[in-house]
Amino acid sequence: MEGKSLLHRLDPRFKLVAAILYIVAIFLAKNIWAFVLLYASALVLILLSGIPIRILLRSMKPLLLIILFTAVINIFWMQGETLLVDWWIFHIYLEGIINAFLIVSRIAVLLLVTGVILTYTTTPIALTDGLEQLLAPLKVLHLPVHEFSMMMTIALRFIPTLVEETGKIMNAQKARGADFSSGSLLQRAKALLPILIPLFISAFRRADELATAMECRCYTGGNGRTRMNVLRAAPRDFLFVLSIVALGAAMILINHFAPGYVL
């Protein structure tokens, strides 16, 4: 998503490092006050990005079922000292409810913040360029870092194309009387077969055309190639990473010295 916020202007290399460090900080949160700090930091990052919260929440819909399943597992399987419900095979403890809330919060913050730092404020091209430069030391081991980054760029680039192609194929099948919305789950799965076969054929055809085009342009890999946009670090990039490190250090201190429920 295009924008001019502080997060949009950060170097993608530092964004990748900051995202990894933030994930570590999320799993360092054990104390209830550490989670409060975690929520506050996530809110600050969302405000800095300038992305509407409804767009971020909409991106979590596909994983809503997994989040709810995780909450149910923790509520009904975790035991504690304060029994709230004791009926038949169901034993619900206060600790289980608190634990479920904190774990769901952890997953939600993880999805929101990684989306804010990477998905919504960084283009796929910038991400792959940053990843290639971060993995550059692995070239000493003769690993194809550039080729790996190029494959990621191509894969990300063709996702919208394949989605559009799928829509065209589905519309063509519907025009021929295909029904994708009724019937049992097995019947719906069988109805998708007429979509998958032409979609795979189209994907292989596009891959072959792309390979031919790259060969015609004498593409030989990363050796001797230059870049149109050269990544340059700025003081704000270092400050951003240092702030995430400070967040993780604060989590450790709060876990040890602040009173409260410990996960």
Side-chain angles (χ1 to χ4, degrees):
M1 182 178 293
E2 296 182 359
K4 297 182 179 179
S5 69
L6 175 63
L7 290 183
H8 284 85
R9 299 195 303 269
L10 291 175
D11 191 303
R13 297 170 295 178
F14 289 83
K15 284 186 182 182
L16 288 167
V17 174
I20 295 172
L21 293 175
Y22 196 93
I23 293 173
V24 173
I26 289 175
F27 287 98
L28 285 175
K30 304 291 183 181
N31 188 286
I32 187 68
W33 298 110
F35 275 88
V36 172
L37 178 60
L38 195 65
Y39 304 149
S41 65
L43 181 60
V44 170
L45 289 173
I46 292 173
L47 294 176
L48 287 175
S49 68
I51 300 172
I53 186 66
R54 66 179 182 276
I55 296 179
L56 296 173
L57 294 177
R58 194 184 307 154
S59 66
M60 297 176 60
K61 280 186 178 180
L63 298 174
L64 186 59
L65 185 62
I66 297 176
I67 294 174
L68 292 176
F69 178 75
T70 304
V72 170
I73 288 294
N74 282 272
I75 290 174
F76 288 102
W77 266 265
M78 183 177 179
Q79 298 182 355
E81 298 179 355
T82 307
L83 182 63
L84 299 178
V85 177
D86 187 8
W87 177 74
W88 194 33
I89 60 173
F90 301 105
H91 309 285
I92 301 177
Y93 294 84
L94 176 63
E95 290 79 5
I97 295 177
I98 297 175
N99 200 69
F101 174 75
L102 295 180
I103 289 180
V104 168
S105 299
R106 180 180 282 170
I107 296 174
V109 171
L110 175 64
L111 295 175
L112 287 174
V113 172
T114 52
V116 165
I117 296 178
L118 299 178
T119 309
Y120 288 97
T121 60
T122 315
T123 63
I125 300 297
L127 275 179
T128 50
D129 287 344
L131 181 63
E132 180 179 354
Q133 294 197 22
L134 285 177
L135 298 179
L138 296 179
K139 293 180 180 179
V140 179
L141 302 176
H142 301 288
L143 294 178
V145 175
H146 174 78
E147 286 75 8
F148 174 73
S149 300
M150 177 62 72
M151 286 190 296
M152 284 192 59
T153 304
I154 293 173
L156 293 172
R157 164 62 184 84
F158 274 94
I159 288 176
T161 304
L162 292 177
V163 171
E164 182 182 358
E165 189 77 19
T166 303
K168 291 180 180 179
I169 295 173
M170 289 185 68
N171 291 333
Q173 294 293 341
K174 288 179 181 178
R176 293 174 174 84
D179 186 8
F180 302 106
S181 58
S182 62
S184 63
L185 184 62
L186 183 60
Q187 290 174 339
R188 293 184 185 182
K190 289 181 178 179
L192 292 176
L193 288 177
I195 298 176
L196 295 177
I197 294 174
L199 182 62
F200 273 107
I201 294 174
S202 174
F204 283 120
R205 185 182 69 250
R206 289 180 183 274
D208 183 64
E209 292 173 353
L210 178 62
T212 303
M214 294 174 71
E215 288 178 356
C216 291
R217 288 167 174 81
C218 301
Y219 175 78
T220 56
N223 295 327
R225 293 182 63 86
T226 58
R227 296 182 179 277
M228 183 175 67
N229 298 318
V230 180
L231 298 177
R232 292 184 176 89
R236 61 174 177 263
D237 300 312
F238 294 97
L239 290 175
F240 182 65
V241 173
L242 287 176
S243 64
I244 303 299
V245 173
L247 176 66
M251 295 291 180
I252 297 174
L253 294 175
I254 292 175
N255 290 334
H256 282 82
F257 298 107
Y261 179 82
V262 177
L263 186 63

